[in-house]
């Protein structure tokens, strides 16, 4: 019987070749409590994750232990170490749920030099290409926003590009992602008329 992840990926990419389906069917669902870590900095990232329901955050800790949010993944999102370096080297960030979440975990080959079972399958290659392009575009846009836009402009852009984030992610985590304090973001939201009196 096909797993929920297999059904999701089949709908996304089309029917897989038998070796790919056999790999997808190895995925297991886990219920992760809010704050329960999926990955610690320093560990090797060895799984593809699909967020069936919930929200994950990727974040860094600086030398003083302050958190800085890198990205968020909500319902239906796929998250995996897409480059060989990400599979080979210890992660530099942490991953944890922002709320109780159902996350499917699909093991990657133990040897990071070994290609994924889906390597060479055109729909998967196209998916990897789309994800890499989106990551690069996102990083370049984020860099430009921090260099050229005000805090208000950055928040307005987040509301437009990621409306679900604004609905689901606590303000303090959004503030960290935007490079401001939660107090500053609350004040900004008030100025924008987003806080009802």
């Amino acid at each position: 019987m096909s797993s929920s992840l297999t059904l999701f990926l089949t709908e996304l990419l089309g029917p897989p070749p038998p070796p790919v389906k056999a790999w997808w069917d190895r995925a297991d669902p886990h219920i992760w409590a809010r704050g329960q870590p999926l990955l610690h900095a320093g560990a090797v990232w060895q799984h593809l994750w699909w967020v069936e329901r919930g929200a994950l955050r990727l974040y860094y800790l600086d030398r003083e232990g302050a958190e800085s949010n890198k990205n968020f993944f909500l319902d239906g999102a796929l998250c995996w170490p897409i480059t060989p370096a990400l599979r080979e080297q210890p992660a530099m960030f942490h991953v944890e749920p922002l709320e109780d979440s159902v996350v499917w975990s699909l093991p990657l080959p133990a040897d990071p030099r070994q290609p994924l079972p889906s390597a060479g399958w055109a729909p998967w290659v196209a998916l990897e290409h789309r994800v890499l392009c989106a990551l690069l575009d996102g990083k370049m846009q984020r860099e430009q926003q921090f260099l050229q836009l005000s805090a208000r402009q950055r928040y307005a852009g987040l509301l437009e590009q990621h409306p679900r984030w604004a609905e689901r992610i606590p303000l303090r985590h959004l503030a960290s992602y935007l490079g401001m304090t939660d107090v500053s973001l609350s004040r900004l939201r008030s100025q924008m008329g987003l806080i009802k009196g």
Side-chain angles (χ1 to χ4, degrees):
M1 181 174 175
S2 294
S3 70
S4 295
L5 175 60
T6 297
L7 295 173
F8 170 81
L9 288 171
T10 300
E11 185 174 319
L12 180 68
L13 301 174
V20 175
K21 184 178 184 303
W23 175 49
W24 290 354
D25 284 340
R26 292 176 55 204
D28 288 316
H30 300 273
I31 298 175
W32 296 88
R34 182 181 61 169
Q36 182 183 2
L38 278 77
L39 181 70
H40 286 289
V44 178
W45 190 0
Q46 297 178 314
H47 294 84
L48 175 149
W49 294 312
W50 174 54
V51 185
E52 182 176 11
R53 184 178 70 254
L56 303 181
R57 72 173 178 129
L58 279 65
Y59 68 97
Y60 294 103
L61 291 176
D62 67 17
R63 286 172 294 188
E64 283 75 43
E67 297 177 358
S68 178
N69 287 307
K70 168 183 170 65
N71 212 340
F72 304 102
F73 295 88
L74 274 59
D75 309 332
L78 289 167
C79 179
W80 78 99
I82 196 167
T83 68
L86 285 172
R87 291 175 56 201
E88 292 172 6
Q89 300 169 7
M92 296 179 287
F93 50 84
H94 304 263
V95 182
E96 71 176 29
L98 286 168
E99 58 191 48
D100 294 351
S101 302
V102 178
V103 180
W104 287 75
S105 182
L106 178 60
L108 303 176
D111 183 348
R113 295 165 297 184
Q114 182 181 345
L116 300 182
S118 52
W121 181 44
W124 183 269
V125 173
L127 173 66
E128 287 188 327
H129 180 75
R130 290 197 305 273
V131 170
L132 283 170
C133 286
L135 286 171
L136 179 58
D137 288 344
K139 286 186 178 297
M140 293 181 68
Q141 184 181 64
R142 191 161 155 77
E143 181 180 82
Q144 178 266 335
Q145 289 172 343
F146 272 93
L147 291 172
Q148 297 181 333
L149 300 185
S150 67
R152 182 181 183 126
Q153 289 171 318
R154 293 199 302 274
Y155 183 57
L158 183 142
L159 292 177
E160 182 179 336
Q161 295 171 1
H162 302 289
R164 289 200 308 156
W165 288 13
E167 296 167 1
R168 296 269 300 279
I169 295 171
L171 281 183
R172 68 186 180 92
H173 290 306
L174 289 180
S176 168
Y177 178 81
L178 293 166
M180 63 183 85
T181 66
D182 51 351
V183 173
S184 298
L185 181 55
S186 292
R187 186 180 305 120
L188 185 59
R189 283 168 47 81
S190 180
Q191 294 168 358
M192 296 170 70
L194 298 174
I195 297 178
K196 306 298 184 221

